[in-house]
Amino acid sequence: MDKIRIRKFKAFREDISIILENSKNLLLYGENGAGKTSIFESLKIAFFKEKIESGLIAQTPEDLQQLKYQFWNSFNNKIDNQEFEIEINDVSYKIFDTSVYQFFLVSIDDLVVVNEINLNTLLSRFYFDFNISNICQNHYQFIQDNVNATLFSFGESVTIVIDEEDNYNIKLADTKKNIETKSELKKYFNEAKLNLIILLIILNAIIQSKETEKQKVIVLDDFITSLDASNRTFLTKYLLEKFSRYSSNNINP
């Protein structure tokens, strides 16, 4: 993927183009409200349009058509109120061939800290191009082992256990605090710690899901701010090490 162009989309009334030189990593930053998340959403539409529409539910086909019309119009720039445009490599998103890409979108809005973590439910929250059931059934041990090894390298005392027999519910244990639990996680672990664990689970699932014949792209929106300062540098280094062969786009670090 070499170029993204959007026009009349949400905050962007005029054309905005993003060039990815040699399809390498891109760091996009700016003030709050500058439109970084709008760019993230434009990529979500371009690569997951059908999945987005499948989540729209209405009682009749006519109602569904009206709902789709209203939904897509909500992304138009409010001043012009004309149909937005999204192009990937100078091709409209409506006809762009996404089949040659394996796309992964991780947004801070999807990092919802909950009292329980289930591997299947967690992965279903995100816009990922892989078979979640396959990841759970065949790769949960890899995810568990690598998350624990990474947490240890970060100096954390927390480990996870993905319980296959309990529908892939995840137990967290902290040896320093003598805690082991699958429930009431927010009672025993702070939000930054839980976000770190969730991010590592997600990233290791992505590693195991890769399809070698496709171009792999990871887009991260505002994920760093969900962590405490001590782990931000560790996770950035981890990303660069583990995903050096991916086209990794970081929006709003």
Side-chain angles (χ1 to χ4, degrees), residues 165-188:
E165 296 183 357
D166 188 22
N167 196 31
Y168 306 103
N169 283 317
I170 299 176
K171 178 172 67 176
L172 271 58
D174 189 324
T175 54
K176 289 184 177 180
K177 296 180 179 179
N178 196 27
I179 296 171
E180 287 190 7
T181 182
K182 291 181 182 178
S183 61
E184 296 187 290
L185 298 181
K186 291 193 290 185
K187 179 179 178 180
Y188 300 105

Side-chain angles (χ1 to χ4, degrees), residues 56-169:
L56 301 176
I57 300 174
Q59 293 183 339
T60 68
E62 292 77 13
D63 289 343
L64 182 59
Q65 285 300 113
Q66 180 64 21
L67 181 60
K68 287 181 180 180
Y69 176 80
Q70 293 173 345
F71 177 78
W72 293 119
N73 278 351
S74 69
F75 292 97
N76 294 337
N77 178 268
K78 300 306 180 186
I79 296 176
D80 284 348
N81 198 29
Q82 297 177 10
E83 185 178 359
F84 65 82
E85 300 174 24
I86 303 172
E87 291 182 356
I88 308 294
N89 297 347
D90 296 319
V91 179
S92 171
Y93 79 101
K94 295 179 180 180
I95 59 174
F96 181 74
D97 182 13
T98 61
S99 65
V100 299
Y101 294 87
Q102 191 178 17
F103 233 78
F104 307 94
L105 297 173
V106 180
S107 169
I108 190 173
D109 291 337
D110 297 317
L111 294 177
V112 180
V113 176
V114 293
N115 275 315
E116 297 178 355
I117 302 175
N118 175 274
L119 183 59
N120 195 325
T121 303
L122 173 63
L123 297 180
S124 298
R125 265 196 252 154
F126 296 86
Y127 285 83
F128 291 163
D129 182 15
F130 61 56
N131 187 310
I132 294 175
S133 295
N134 175 60
I135 293 297
C136 291
Q137 293 172 14
N138 299 316
H139 302 293
Y140 76 91
Q141 191 68 51
F142 171 92
I143 295 171
Q144 174 183 300
D145 293 346
N146 281 272
V147 168
N148 287 336
T150 305
L151 288 170
F152 179 79
S153 72
F154 286 6
E156 296 287 350
S157 59
V158 181
T159 58
I160 70 168
V161 176
I162 302 175
D163 193 343
E164 179 190 18
E165 296 183 357
D166 188 22
N167 196 31
Y168 306 103
N169 283 317

Side-chain angles (χ1 to χ4, degrees), residues 17-29:
S17 295
I18 300 172
I19 309 297
L20 286 74
E21 295 184 4
N22 301 317
S23 297
K24 295 296 183 180
N25 295 342
L26 171 69
L27 174 63
L28 183 63
Y29 61 93

Side-chain angles (χ1 to χ4, degrees), residues 227-245:
L227 308 176
D228 54 30
S230 62
N231 283 318
R232 293 181 184 182
T233 301
F234 286 126
L235 190 65
T236 301
K237 291 180 177 178
Y238 177 84
L239 281 165
L240 292 173
E241 174 189 345
K242 295 295 183 180
F243 297 92
S244 60
R245 295 184 180 181

Side-chain angles (χ1 to χ4, degrees), residues 40-54:
F40 182 90
E41 290 183 342
S42 72
L43 290 169
K44 183 188 295 185
I45 290 171
F47 286 87
F48 294 97
K49 182 176 182 293
E50 292 182 2
K51 180 176 180 178
I52 293 171
E53 284 196 339
S54 69

Side-chain angles (χ1 to χ4, degrees), residues 190-205:
N190 64 42
E191 183 173 339
K193 188 91 66 183
L194 291 172
N195 276 331
L196 175 63
I197 292 167
I198 290 170
L199 277 168
L200 289 174
I201 292 170
I202 292 165
L203 293 173
N204 278 280

